[in-house]
């Protein structure tokens, strides 16, 4: 006659510990995904200020015209963004 294997019941504390371990694993996974997302969002290369000034100078703008243009751009950005 074959012996029946008895099912061993785990305690509530053991089951809770196992679930806590799984939760911690998934939280780490979520944090890694959020880091990757931030890299994608913030990783966009913004034009370098030197490049902008060079392009403006090549277009024939004078330094005073560049100042006026930059002031207009910065004033639009500061007034238009509400957080």
């Amino acid at each position: 006659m074959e012996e029946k294997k008895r099912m061993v019941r785990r305690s509530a504390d053991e089951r809770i510990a196992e679930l806590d371990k799984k939760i911690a694993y998934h939280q780490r996974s979520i944090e890694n995904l959020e880091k990757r997302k931030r890299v994608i969002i913030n990783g966009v290369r913004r034009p370098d200020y030197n490049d902008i000034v060079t392009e403006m100078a090549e277009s024939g703008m004078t330094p005073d015209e560049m100042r006026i243009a930059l002031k207009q751009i910065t004033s639009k950005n500061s007034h238009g963004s509400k957080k």
Side-chain angles (χ1 to χ4, degrees):
M1 188 151 68
E2 266 184 57
E3 283 186 40
K4 282 189 174 180
K5 288 190 176 184
R6 289 187 132 172
M7 189 169 181
V8 178
R9 289 190 85 165
R10 294 178 296 151
S11 70
D13 290 339
E14 289 174 324
R15 293 183 301 192
I16 289 171
E18 182 181 338
L19 291 174
D20 286 341
K21 194 174 173 181
K22 288 180 180 182
I23 289 169
Y25 168 79
H26 288 288
Q27 285 175 335
R28 284 192 308 273
S29 296
I30 289 169
E31 288 173 6
N32 288 334
L33 291 171
E34 287 175 340
K35 283 180 191 176
R36 289 172 54 189
K37 180 181 172 182
R38 283 192 297 273
V39 167
I40 291 170
I41 291 171
N42 298 330
V44 175
R45 185 181 177 273
R46 295 189 178 123
D48 192 14
Y49 288 110
N50 292 332
D51 294 340
I52 294 170
V53 172
T54 303
E55 288 178 26
M56 293 171 88
E58 288 174 353
S59 72
M61 293 179 84
T62 65
D64 289 331
E65 293 172 330
M66 289 181 204
R67 277 190 205 93
I68 293 168
L70 291 172
K71 284 181 184 177
Q72 289 173 349
I73 291 169
T74 55
S75 67
K76 286 181 185 177
N77 289 341
S78 63
H79 295 296
S81 62
K82 292 183 182 178
K83 292 183 180 178

